Every structure is written in C-alpha cells, then in structure tokens.
Amino acid sequence: MLRSYSRGLLDRAQNQYHSCCTRRWFQAIPVIDVEPLVNQQQNAAEVGQQLHKACNEVGFFYVANHGVPTQTCQNVLKEAHAWFALPEHIKKQILIRPDTHYRGYQQLGANVTRYEEGYQRDWHEAIDLYREQSPKAAPLSPIHGPNQWPTQLPTFDTALREYINNMLQLGEHLMRGIAMGLGLPANFFEGNRAGAEQSYWCTRVIHYPPLAEGTSHRKREGGVRETAAAALQGADIKRSVQLSCGEHTDYGLLTLVNQDSHVSALQVKNQQGQWINADPIPGTFVCNIGDMLKIWSNGMYRPTPHRVINADPSQSRVSIPFFYEPCYEALVEPPAELIVKGDCRPEQQRFVRYGSHLEGKVLNNFEL
C-alpha cells in the first residue's frame, strides 16, 4: 500500500515536471476562492489544484472568501495610517536597531533594495515584527527577541495583534492547499516544518508616501515622479532609480498582503519582462510565493519579481504583508516524492536551514 501511494506521487511529480517549464507570460493574476479549504470542505483538493496552477504559472494569486473578517482587515489599515501620522519623535520610541533584534520602526529610506552595482534606498517607512523568541534561546540569533509593539497608539496595537492571529491561521490553511496541489499529504508543512504554532512569521506594516516626496527630500535626481509614472505604464527603468520598494523576490515561504484599496502601486513581472499591476481587489489578499517554496517544490515553483511604485502625487499607501514562514530550525529540502529518479526530475534544490537563511537576509536589509 505504501509503495502504491509513493508510486502515485512520483507519477504526479513527473506530470508536473512538464508543466513547471510553462513560460510565465501571464497578463493577469488569478483570483482563487479558498472557502472550501478554510472550512475543510470535501472539494478542498480542487482549491489545491488551483493553487498549484497559480504557483506554477504566475507565482502570485488573490485569495477570496478567506475567512478573515472584513472589519479586521480594514481596521488595521485605518489604525496604521493613524500611527504613521504621529510625530517622528514618537515613532522613534520603537526605532529599529541591532540591539532591538532588528524589530521595530524603520525610518524613510532605511530599508534598501540591493542589486549587483550597489543598493537604492526604498521610499517607505515601516514597522517590522516577528515571532517572539527569547534572545537567550538556543540556538542564539541576533534576530531573536521581543517585538517593539506600537503601543503609542493602543488601538493600533490591539488591531495588529488580532490581525496577526487571523493571518497565522489563514497561512496554515493555504499551505495545506499548496501541499495538496504538489501531491503531498495535506499536513506536510505542519509541525516542525512550518506549523502555525512554530512558524517564524513576520509582519511588516508599511507606509508608502508619494514617491515624489523622495525627490524633494534628497534634492537630487529630479524627475522621479515622471519616471515612476512611466514605470507604472510599463517603461523599463534602471535599478538605481529610487522606487517605493525596488524589484525583488521574497525570501521566505508565503506572503499575504492586505493593501489599501485607493492606490494601485504593486506590480508583478512576467517572463517577458512586462510589469502587470496587482490592483487592490476588495475582500481579498494578494499572495505570492518565496524562495523556500522553490526549494520545497524542488524548483517546480519559482518566486516572481515584484516592486512597489506609489506614483500618486498626493495620496499615501499602507500595506500590511504577513509572511507565513518556516519554523526557525526547519531544514528546507525537497521531499523524496518530488525527486524523480532518472532524467525526468532530479533533485534541483539543495537544503537550507531556514534560520540561517533568514539571518543573512535580515542583516542585509537595512542601511541604518
């Protein structure tokens, strides 16, 4: 019985190998109704197939009917706007530093996008939070520690904690669907791989002021507003041009983004080099896969480059991405079921220890 089950998984992996080479020439981002998955209905496996198609062909997707209350999503955005409107000296009470374990408030331009020739400062400010871990916990890590919660605005602190609790549960549901889509047991990512109780989750609350303000602030490189507007229409721009957040892929497992509905700023790059707008759709989260899912899928899924450009001259944008991540000590490696012997699909991805991978990324994120 076990051999029959494994043979079926290998056949499934062989079939999926051919589909994984599909060229990513997408012109739109799919919307997936995940209610059967969230409510554990009989047709949940069908949602898994839709997630597989989206992860394989796009790397991005919207989730609808996800079970997180609308009020929770809207209230945390509203409270975030209010917090970022506080005076700078108040926000700096939770300023991010190495001795705060890289948790807390980062000022405009502290976050950077690196590329071969150097880096560019992203024109946004943010609050970074992670799963709390004692700084004395083994193994020792410079990012283990307590969060600096935004208690300067108690209503925001409360709303943010409620939001994170909801997102942890949704993230686990979505990973069950992704596991089924890969032909793995539904609970493959649970427990000490990426279970909700141990996930080293991260939440970033990000405020994107109009990008034109970055030009005024730096008093150089004029015309950024025009450059950003052209980029939103698909123009090619140099990596050295300052954006709200420069082109990148996510280094974790699965990202779920709650974004303002009044500003379109997120763009996704297809394999033809075209930038596709990920416009806000009320009642949904826009999701994307990261580097860890590329490894766990043995290269079947690939993270998709994306960027943020708030070219609106007068409106700010807030988004709150929730990063559902592996457990800190998880060894991320392709499962045997997705390694097909012979010339069809050999092992393509080497294993990584997630905590070490995360440390390297976080410590390289900032120019403080």
Side-chain angles (χ1 to χ4, degrees):
M1 195 70 180
L2 179 60
R3 292 184 62 172
S4 173
Y5 179 67
S6 298
R7 182 67 256 170
L9 288 173
L10 292 177
D11 291 342
R12 173 69 173 282
Q14 287 177 324
N15 292 334
Q16 289 178 337
Y17 168 71
H18 299 290
S19 68
C20 82
C21 300
T22 302
R23 293 178 178 175
R24 290 183 160 188
W25 289 0
F26 59 88
Q27 294 296 309
I29 298 172
V31 180
I32 302 175
D33 183 344
V34 297
E35 182 178 11
L37 190 61
V38 171
N39 292 334
Q40 302 181 28
Q41 298 172 1
Q42 288 186 344
N43 56 339
E46 296 176 11
V47 178
Q49 286 302 303
Q50 295 177 55
L51 289 169
H52 167 67
K53 182 177 175 65
C55 291
N56 188 28
E57 298 179 1
V58 183
F60 267 76
F61 52 90
Y62 295 92
V63 293
N65 295 321
H66 44 68
V68 180
T70 300
Q71 183 176 359
T72 298
C73 298
Q74 294 178 347
N75 190 43
V76 72
L77 289 170
K78 176 178 70 70
E79 294 289 346
H81 274 282
W83 192 89
F84 284 115
L86 293 173
E88 188 74 6
H89 73 275
I90 294 179
K91 293 186 288 188
K92 288 174 69 174
Q93 291 175 2
I94 59 169
L95 189 65
I96 195 169
R97 301 184 308 272
D99 64 352
T100 67
H101 313 285
Y102 299 94
R103 299 162 185 248
Y105 169 64
Q106 55 185 259
Q107 297 174 279
L108 284 164
N111 195 87
V112 300
T113 297
R114 300 189 188 275
Y115 54 98
E116 289 185 3
E117 292 79 17
Y119 67 87
Q120 179 55 275
R121 293 185 180 274
D122 298 321
W123 194 242
H124 67 249
E125 57 182 338
I127 301 171
D128 284 11
L129 306 167
Y130 296 86
R131 180 181 187 268
E132 293 184 301
Q133 186 95 348
S134 169
K136 298 181 180 180
L140 298 178
S141 169
I143 63 175
H144 283 346
N147 285 321
Q148 295 196 91
W149 294 92
T151 54
Q152 299 82 5
L153 195 61
T155 51
F156 179 37
D157 180 40
T158 300
L160 190 53
R161 291 172 186 268
E162 179 185 352
Y163 174 76
I164 290 170
N165 288 336
N166 275 275
M167 299 306 288
L168 260 174
Q169 298 306 310
L170 176 58
E172 187 168 63
H173 287 311
L174 293 179
M175 291 311 304
R176 289 179 67 86
I178 288 173
M180 287 188 284
L182 284 168
L184 299 170
N187 65 353
F188 174 82
F189 291 106
E190 295 175 14
N192 59 10
R193 289 192 176 104
E197 292 185 358
Q198 300 181 58
S199 165
Y200 209 88
W201 58 264
C202 171
T203 294
R204 300 196 71 219
V205 186
I206 312 174
H207 172 228
Y208 300 97
L211 188 53
E213 294 180 5
T215 308
S216 173
H217 177 80
R218 293 180 293 119
K219 300 185 184 302
R220 65 181 179 87
E221 201 176 315
V224 167
R225 182 186 300 181
E226 291 74 18
T227 302
L232 276 178
Q233 299 304 315
D236 192 23
I237 60 172
K238 296 179 180 179
R239 294 295 302 274
S240 59
V241 173
Q242 185 182 48
L243 300 178
S244 303
C245 187
E247 178 182 343
H248 65 285
T249 59
D250 289 354
Y251 48 76
L253 185 59
L254 179 68
T255 307
L256 303 87
V257 181
N258 180 21
Q259 55 181 330
D260 274 338
S261 62
H262 62 278
V263 177
S264 180
L266 177 62
Q267 291 188 315
V268 181
K269 192 177 187 179
N270 69 16
Q271 202 168 346
Q272 292 173 297
Q274 298 172 317
W275 288 99
I276 309 302
N277 290 336
D279 295 328
I281 300 177
T284 70
F285 296 110
V286 61
C287 304
N288 62 279
I289 60 176
D291 294 339
M292 296 301 95
L293 197 50
K294 178 181 180 181
I295 297 174
W296 257 318
S297 70
N298 197 24
M300 190 180 305
Y301 299 162
R302 293 160 289 157
T304 305
H306 50 285
R307 66 187 184 187
V308 179
I309 304 174
N310 181 13
D312 192 295
S314 60
Q315 295 192 92
S316 289
R317 172 185 185 260
V318 166
S319 74
I320 308 180
F322 178 84
F323 301 88
Y324 188 89
E325 304 293 32
C327 307
Y328 193 84
E329 282 297 294
L331 290 180
V332 182
E333 58 185 337
E337 295 91 334
L338 297 183
I339 301 172
V340 179
K341 305 301 181 184
D343 62 355
C344 184
R345 189 172 183 80
E347 183 174 7
Q348 296 186 355
Q349 305 296 320
R350 300 185 65 180
F351 79 88
V352 300
R353 172 181 170 268
Y354 179 65
S356 300
H357 173 77
L358 178 64
E359 286 177 13
K361 295 296 184 179
V362 171
L363 300 184
N364 204 38
N365 273 351
F366 308 107
E367 290 291 332
L368 300 174

